């Protein structure tokens, strides 16, 4: 399949990379929402489908780095945030959008809302939602975007994929410096005392 056809397929099916979805959501000037679900990694096995109280029993909190954005869309106007969140829960369980590729909205998922430029995060709990005021700080967004796209982790500097860091000057290792030193004679000689000879 040609690159053009892949891009067209992704455009039609909404199959963008999770990082692209996150960037689009955070950079959007319109009110919107995003569905975040746990990445399928060893780090998240004990967090999947777990309630907030279960996470707390494990000594954990929801961590931004463990999630990926699986869906974004414009946010319809609302007057009651709880009712709107419950409406999204119902929609992503009963009537999935055609381009949604995640699992049905479940406990441990997060709904992010962007309203008038402010983003809030809402953890799907056993009953209702729990707001996560410290879930993602603005600097995390940029760092995570860079970690996903940067060629060189030494260049996490606020500029996405600005290439490899300049080569550092060659440094000689301590071991090499020690090898270059002349060998020191460490054999111990008995001190010579002329007076002792005279006594013999």
């Amino acid at each position: 399949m040609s690159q053009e056809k892949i891009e067209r397929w992704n455009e039609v099916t909404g199959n963008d990379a999770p990082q692209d979805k996150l960037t689009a959501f955070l950079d959007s000037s319109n009110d919107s929402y995003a569905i975040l679900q746990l990445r399928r990694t060893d780090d998240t096995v004990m967090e999947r489908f777990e309630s907030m109280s279960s996470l707390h029993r494990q000594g954990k909190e929801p961590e931004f780095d463990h999630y990926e954005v699986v869906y974004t869309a414009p946010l319809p106007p609302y007057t009651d945030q709880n009712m709107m969140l419950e409406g999204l829960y119902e929609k992503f369980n009963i009537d999935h959008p055609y381009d949604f590729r995640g699992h049905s909205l479940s406990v441990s998922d997060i709904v992010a809302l962007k309203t008038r430029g402010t983003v809030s995060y809402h953890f799907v709990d056993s009953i209702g939602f729990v707001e996560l005021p410290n879930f993602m700080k603005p600097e995390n967004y940029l760092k995570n975007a860079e970690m996903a796209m940067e060629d060189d982790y030494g260049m996490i500097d606020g500029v996405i994929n600005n290439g490899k860091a300049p080569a550092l000057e060659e440094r000689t290792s301590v071991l090499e410096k020690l090898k270059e030193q002349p060998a020191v004679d460490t054999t111990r000689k008995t001190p010579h005392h002329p007076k002792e000879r005279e006594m013999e």
Side-chain angles (χ1 to χ4, degrees):
M1 193 181 266
S2 72
Q3 183 62 33
E4 184 179 310
K5 286 182 181 176
I6 291 170
E7 287 170 6
R8 182 85 178 122
W9 172 259
N10 288 344
E11 186 180 308
V12 170
T13 61
N15 198 19
D16 296 333
Q19 194 62 42
D20 295 340
K21 289 178 182 174
L22 174 65
T23 304
F25 170 69
L26 293 171
D27 290 346
S28 171
S29 57
N30 300 323
D31 289 356
S32 53
Y33 69 92
I35 305 296
L36 289 81
Q37 295 181 334
L38 286 163
R39 299 175 190 274
R40 294 196 166 275
T41 65
D42 292 341
D43 292 338
T44 65
V45 170
M46 301 301 289
E47 299 168 17
R48 289 184 209 146
F49 310 109
E50 295 295 330
S51 67
M52 187 65 79
S53 60
S54 175
L55 288 179
H56 287 168
R57 280 194 297 276
Q58 296 178 49
K60 296 181 177 182
E61 290 286 335
E63 290 185 44
F64 176 76
D65 294 340
H66 290 187
Y67 284 83
E68 62 186 1
V69 175
V70 295
Y71 189 79
T72 61
L75 182 63
Y78 65 91
T79 52
D80 183 314
Q81 187 180 73
N82 285 333
M83 285 182 65
M84 191 273 304
L85 287 167
E86 291 295 339
L88 288 175
Y89 182 82
E90 185 176 319
K91 175 179 185 167
F92 284 89
N93 272 279
I94 297 172
D95 187 24
H96 293 175
Y98 75 94
D99 55 345
F100 177 60
R101 300 290 176 262
H103 58 73
S104 293
L105 198 59
S106 303
V107 172
S108 80
D109 293 344
I110 291 174
V111 178
L113 303 177
K114 184 170 188 178
T115 310
R116 294 185 292 284
T118 302
V119 179
S120 60
Y121 298 91
H122 307 269
F123 181 87
V124 181
D125 210 353
S126 302
I127 299 173
F129 292 81
V130 176
E131 188 165 357
L132 304 172
N134 299 316
F135 180 64
M136 183 179 134
K137 299 191 172 26
E139 63 271 14
N140 284 354
Y141 154 56
L142 194 53
K143 179 180 176 186
N144 285 299
E146 285 195 77
M147 293 292 277
M149 301 176 73
E150 194 65 66
D151 290 336
D152 182 357
Y153 285 171
M155 293 297 284
I156 304 300
D157 55 4
V159 179
I160 302 290
N161 203 11
N162 52 352
K164 298 265 185 207
L168 299 173
E169 65 180 68
E170 285 281 325
R171 292 185 181 176
T172 310
S173 73
V174 174
L175 185 60
E176 290 298 320
K177 287 182 181 179
L178 289 172
K179 286 180 181 176
E180 291 172 6
Q181 295 293 323
V184 177
D185 186 9
T186 57
T187 56
R188 187 170 173 98
K189 294 182 181 176
T190 311
H192 174 67
H193 297 287
K195 290 184 180 176
E196 289 177 2
R197 282 222 179 252
E198 291 171 6
M199 293 179 79
E200 289 180 28

